[in-house]
Amino acid sequence: MPSDNILSTTVSAHAAVRLLAMAGDLSMGQPTDQSTRSARLAGRLALLDGAGDEVATHARLVALLRWSGCTANAAGFAVLLGDDVAGRDAMLRHALPAGHPLTFANVEPLARIHCEVAGDLAGMLGLPAGVEAGLRHVWEHYDGGGAPQQLRAPAIPAVVYYTSLAGDLEILARTHDAQTAMRMIQAWGGAKYPAVLAALAAEHADALLAALEGPDEDGALPGHQVALSIVADLVELKLPWLAGYSRRVAELAGRAAALAGLPPEQQKRLARAALVHGVGRASVANTIWERAGKPGSADWEKIRLAPYWTARAGALVPELREEAALASHMYERLDGSGYFRSLEREALDMPQRLLAAAGAYAALCAPRPWRTALPPQQAAQLLEEEGQAGRFDAAAASFVIAAAGGEGEGGIAPARKGLLSEREVEVLRRISLGESNKEAARVMQISPSTVRTHVESIFRKLGCSTRAAATLKGLTLGLI
């Protein structure tokens, strides 16, 4: 399976938006339907405000993708709050403890990352300009107290107000009560959103709250095809050292399936499963993923549920249901030592065994905070040993090793588009892994100032201003 096919593996924009909405909900510590429920309210608010059907659809899309930049700044919130998932949940509920460290000065850079990535995502998904504009300004406030640009009305798109108020109403009504929610929203009128909009919400509070439990209105969402790899790339921004991991697993698994003689449809399904397998990882705090050593029991319980959340999210997106179910088996092992189901040999078929072996091999060949990347030969040896020990299927491991060696339809190598120089590509690869200028300079044996110059050139050529956005664009363009 050639690597070009990973970029050509598509899904409807509607399905991608739904899956990304759930990944965002998990990243923010919310139920997997928070964005969907907020989207219903945002659309209703737009119609009540006389904005019309098109703006109402834009508001729904902005609400669905409101959290789409939160994977990109998870590391920053982990530093500030310790637990980026639980901390942001408390932030949304206005339940952070007294003396918490969040200030405008330290949140503004994180909001800038969030908004740039979310806006770029809208462009990559081919969504309307009104949706992209809303996402680029989604944290701005009516009175100029928002971020990242401290814009004031009328420079802020109306969809931002509909989305912001709808999100507040959904979260506060669920975590407090309807009366408290409306009291807080009216108090924020004239600050977060126009006072007249807060009053309109109060006037129609009963109908809006009833809409929270109403049916989804999927008909107006976009149905054109988009690259499924966009979902993987965005989810993996949560942990910089994961950049491109799902793509590599997809390429390995697809090629290994071809070598194993699986039919083309199963090859395709394996690649698609690899591209969505990391959605559930968004539910686990960065500090847990990056902690050295064997996870403790509390950490382990959260880690083992990551594939469960992948299956759960996929079950709510019919177009990707089969792929997500397959993806949730990636960490199962033949001897029953895997997770989350602890299945054994008899319950695991060849596609599931190939996916597990591909995921393990790709992980061994990539750097992690607690170890360096293994050379391919050593990774292959370890995988073979695990196969002999009965944790992996020996045949599946051999197909993956052969696929990694380039047998079949070509090796795994990123495309070169000519947009960046080879040196800039290497710098982009280093910073995409979360390395600082000094760390990249040390590995590349150049000065930090030279790295900084290259980074500035990369930003200029890719049209971005943050490392997260550069990573996302670099992956999408096949540069890394």
Side-chain angles (χ1 to χ4, degrees), residues 232-249 277-279 281-282 286 289-290 330-331 359 362-363 366-370 432-434 471 475 480:
D233 296 341
L234 193 82
V235 169
E236 288 176 351
L237 291 178
K238 176 176 169 66
L239 296 161
W241 41 268
L242 272 179
Y245 173 64
S246 293
R247 287 172 175 259
R248 289 189 288 275
V249 178
H277 90 274
V279 168
R281 193 182 289 114
N286 276 29
W289 289 120
E290 297 184 336
M330 182 161 155
Y331 299 100
R368 295 293 183 258
W370 54 90
S432 75
L433 296 173
T471 298
L475 288 165
I480 54 176

Side-chain angles (χ1 to χ4, degrees), residues 70-93:
C70 65
T71 53
N73 62 18
F77 274 105
V79 170
L80 289 175
L81 299 175
D83 184 324
D84 53 296
V85 178
R88 289 190 287 192
D89 171 49
M91 180 181 69
L92 294 177
R93 292 185 288 106

Side-chain angles (χ1 to χ4, degrees), residues 27-101:
S27 291
M28 299 295 288
Q30 301 302 298
T32 53
D33 63 348
Q34 194 282 323
S35 293
T36 299
R37 287 158 57 90
S38 293
R40 292 187 205 127
L41 293 186
R44 296 291 180 93
L45 277 170
L47 294 175
L48 286 172
D49 199 36
D53 290 340
E54 183 179 81
V55 174
T57 298
H58 291 181
R60 291 178 60 229
L61 284 166
V62 172
L64 285 169
L65 294 174
R66 185 187 187 198
W67 310 134
S68 58
C70 65
T71 53
N73 62 18
F77 274 105
V79 170
L80 289 175
L81 299 175
D83 184 324
D84 53 296
V85 178
R88 289 190 287 192
D89 171 49
M91 180 181 69
L92 294 177
R93 292 185 288 106
H94 296 269
L96 285 171
H100 66 78

Side-chain angles (χ1 to χ4, degrees), residues 102-406:
L102 296 189
T103 65
F104 184 86
N106 58 35
V107 168
E108 184 277 332
L110 302 180
R112 180 156 42 86
I113 293 170
H114 183 123
C115 291
E116 182 172 28
V117 167
D120 286 350
L121 172 70
M124 292 172 184
L125 293 176
L127 300 180
V131 176
E132 181 174 342
L135 289 170
R136 290 196 185 280
H137 302 295
V138 74
W139 300 121
E140 301 290 356
H141 290 178
Y142 178 77
D143 66 355
Q149 295 175 279
Q150 295 182 275
L151 298 180
R152 291 178 177 270
I156 302 171
V159 290
V160 171
Y161 303 137
Y162 304 140
T163 298
S164 180
L165 197 156
D168 287 344
L169 181 55
E170 194 284 330
I171 292 169
L172 296 173
R174 171 168 46 83
T175 59
H176 298 281
D177 57 68
Q179 188 174 16
T180 300
M182 290 312 308
R183 184 171 64 249
M184 295 174 73
I185 284 170
Q186 287 184 289
W188 294 330
K192 289 186 72 173
Y193 17 75
V196 292
L197 186 63
L200 183 67
E203 180 184 351
H204 297 275
D206 291 343
L208 289 171
L209 291 169
L212 283 172
E213 309 304 330
D216 291 339
E217 300 169 346
D218 290 340
L221 297 182
H224 61 273
Q225 295 291 298
V226 299
L228 184 56
S229 56
I230 294 173
V231 173
D233 296 341
L234 193 82
V235 169
E236 288 176 351
L237 291 178
K238 176 176 169 66
L239 296 161
W241 41 268
L242 272 179
Y245 173 64
S246 293
R247 287 172 175 259
R248 289 189 288 275
V249 178
E251 291 168 331
L252 273 174
R255 189 176 289 109
L259 292 172
L262 270 60
E265 186 57 36
Q266 285 193 331
Q267 298 173 34
K268 179 181 178 181
R269 186 172 295 118
L270 263 171
R272 286 162 63 89
L275 291 173
V276 303
H277 90 274
V279 168
R281 193 182 289 114
S283 67
V284 183
N286 276 29
T287 48
I288 292 177
W289 289 120
E290 297 184 336
R291 212 164 353 245
K294 186 177 180 180
S297 58
D299 286 354
W300 179 244
E301 281 306 306
K302 294 181 180 180
I303 290 171
R304 70 185 301 273
L305 286 177
Y308 162 79
W309 285 116
T310 295
R312 176 61 181 152
L316 300 176
V317 183
E319 191 174 336
L320 292 168
R321 185 171 293 146
E322 290 185 9
E323 287 82 353
L326 173 56
S328 69
H329 290 79
M330 182 161 155
Y331 299 100
E332 300 290 352
R333 300 294 181 256
L334 298 189
D335 62 357
S337 62
Y339 59 95
F340 70 98
R341 300 177 181 88
S342 300
L343 299 177
E344 297 187 17
R345 179 181 300 273
E346 296 75 13
L348 298 169
D349 59 23
M350 182 52 76
Q352 294 163 350
R353 297 178 185 202
L354 286 168
L355 184 62
Y361 180 87
L364 289 170
C365 291
R368 295 293 183 258
W370 54 90
R371 62 163 173 80
T372 58
L374 298 184
Q377 186 175 3
Q378 187 177 351
Q381 182 180 344
L382 281 177
L383 189 61
E384 286 178 340
E385 291 172 356
E386 290 284 275
Q388 293 166 3
R391 282 172 55 78
F392 292 94
D393 181 272
S398 68
F399 287 129
V400 167
I401 292 167

